[in-house]
Amino acid sequence: MVRSWVGESAVKHYTKETFNPTESVYFAIDRVRNRLLSQIDTALRGLGVTSRQMGILHLLGRGVADTPFELARRLDMDTSAMTRVLDRLETGGLLIRSRNTDDRRIVNLVLTKKGEEVVARIPEIAPAILSAQVKEFTESELNELRRLLGKFLVA
């Protein structure tokens, strides 16, 4: 028996009879995500970072998270993927990993001077791309899109 992610009482917007992957919400969200990532990756190339790395650097720079576990949780990444991205950032001289002195199981992350410089430049690049993609949206429409996408994250 295949376990359904949709509860019995939930509205079934998709059924096996009517499902068309290329017309699904998933497909549209995936296409939008891919387009944004591609554009942001291209724009960040001069800084030597990717969009995925940008999120990590941003959270570290704002002091929102300082461990791989906390970053992975906030960015919805598995710990293996997080480790690979952190390896690249460390190799690139953007951050330093060190063991917590109180609990050696915990790895602390700190931006290097180079990492701080990259973090400072990100707001010069990413907002222009995101703004271009939503330029046809009214403020109300953009707020509604944020609200609706938020419903995905709590479902």
Side-chain angles (χ1 to χ4, degrees):
M1 178 174 155
V2 176
R3 183 172 176 214
S4 171
W5 290 100
V6 179
E8 288 302 314
S9 63
V11 175
K12 293 185 179 179
H13 295 290
Y14 297 103
T15 66
K16 64 182 179 181
E17 294 81 22
T18 64
F19 181 64
N20 181 342
T22 59
E23 293 178 7
S24 71
V25 170
Y26 160 78
F27 192 77
I29 290 171
D30 194 48
R31 287 186 64 210
V32 169
R33 177 187 179 276
N34 290 341
R35 179 178 294 173
L36 286 171
L37 290 178
S38 175
Q39 291 174 355
I40 291 173
D41 283 342
T42 299
L44 291 174
R45 195 170 290 135
L47 295 179
V49 296
T50 66
S51 54
R52 181 171 265 193
Q53 294 167 339
M54 174 186 73
I56 292 168
L57 294 170
H58 174 75
L59 291 176
L60 286 171
R62 292 192 56 213
V64 174
D66 64 357
T67 67
F69 175 78
E70 183 63 19
L71 287 168
R73 187 182 68 75
R74 290 185 174 272
L75 296 171
D76 282 332
M77 289 176 68
D78 65 69
T79 54
S80 302
M82 179 59 65
T83 298
R84 288 188 299 275
V85 176
L86 292 174
D87 286 345
R88 285 187 222 111
L89 289 170
E90 189 173 35
T91 299
L94 299 172
L95 63 80
I96 297 170
R97 287 187 263 204
S98 63
R99 293 282 173 192
N100 184 298
T101 55
D102 296 329
D103 185 344
R104 303 245 338 123
R105 295 172 295 175
I106 298 173
V107 175
N108 293 316
L109 304 168
V110 178
L111 291 174
T112 63
K113 177 84 170 147
K114 181 179 176 182
E116 290 173 355
E117 291 169 0
V118 168
V119 169
R121 300 260 332 268
I122 289 170
E124 301 167 11
I125 297 169
I129 292 161
L130 296 173
S131 293
Q133 289 299 309
V134 297
K135 70 180 181 231
E136 301 298 323
F137 288 52
T138 66
E139 190 68 29
S140 176
E141 288 171 332
L142 187 55
N143 288 335
E144 179 67 359
L145 177 60
R146 285 186 192 114
R147 185 187 74 74
L148 293 170
L149 291 172
K151 288 180 85 168
F152 269 97
L153 298 174
V154 297

